[in-house]
Amino acid sequence: MIWAEVKSCLFLSQRRQRTIMAILGTLLKKGIRIREMLEEEYTAPFDLQKKELKELLITANATEFGKYYNFSDILNGFRRGDKEFYKRFKSKVPIHTYNKIYNDWWRLSQKGIKNVCWPGRVKILRSVPALQKP
């Protein structure tokens, strides 16, 4: 009688082991697939920012702002695989304060001129009083 109980416990144990192993095998396979997908889709933040900057420059290339700051030259650096694209962008396009970009560029958009800083006509240009000097 004791042998029958031990035998049934071993049987159940083996059965449970097979079930657990099957579940673990499935989970491991799915985990490996997920990891492979993440590795394939992973892009370094620097590369993502570079791609975004490139797309913005392409879009604004034909604007007055893009022509003035020679976006086409910066884009040529992208095409050549130039790793110094950011330095080129930084050296050609200065940082603007709100007042400077408004006075130099955005006021033209407000007058209805098209393709100033962005393609097309800007319909709404909001001012930010906290950023403006009195």
Side-chain angles (χ1 to χ4, degrees), residues 53-68:
L53 176 60
K54 181 181 175 183
E55 289 175 10
L56 291 170
L57 291 174
I58 288 169
T59 302
N61 188 33
T63 65
E64 295 303 315
F65 191 82
K67 291 173 188 172
Y68 186 83

Side-chain angles (χ1 to χ4, degrees), residues 70-82:
N70 204 2
F71 284 3
S72 59
D73 183 48
I74 300 168
L75 287 166
N76 285 335
F78 275 109
R79 290 183 194 105
R80 291 190 307 263
D82 185 0

Side-chain angles (χ1 to χ4, degrees), residues 15-63:
R15 187 173 166 194
R16 284 185 183 163
Q17 284 179 355
R18 281 195 299 261
T19 304
I20 290 170
M21 292 306 288
I23 292 170
L24 285 175
T26 303
L27 290 173
L28 286 172
K29 286 177 187 174
K30 287 187 179 189
I32 290 169
R33 276 191 231 130
I34 290 170
R35 183 171 180 225
E36 288 171 351
M37 287 179 0
L38 289 174
E39 286 176 356
E40 288 174 7
E41 293 178 13
Y42 175 78
T43 305
F46 179 79
D47 293 333
L48 290 172
Q49 289 179 349
K50 181 179 174 182
K51 181 183 174 200
E52 190 65 30
L53 176 60
K54 181 181 175 183
E55 289 175 10
L56 291 170
L57 291 174
I58 288 169
T59 302
N61 188 33
T63 65

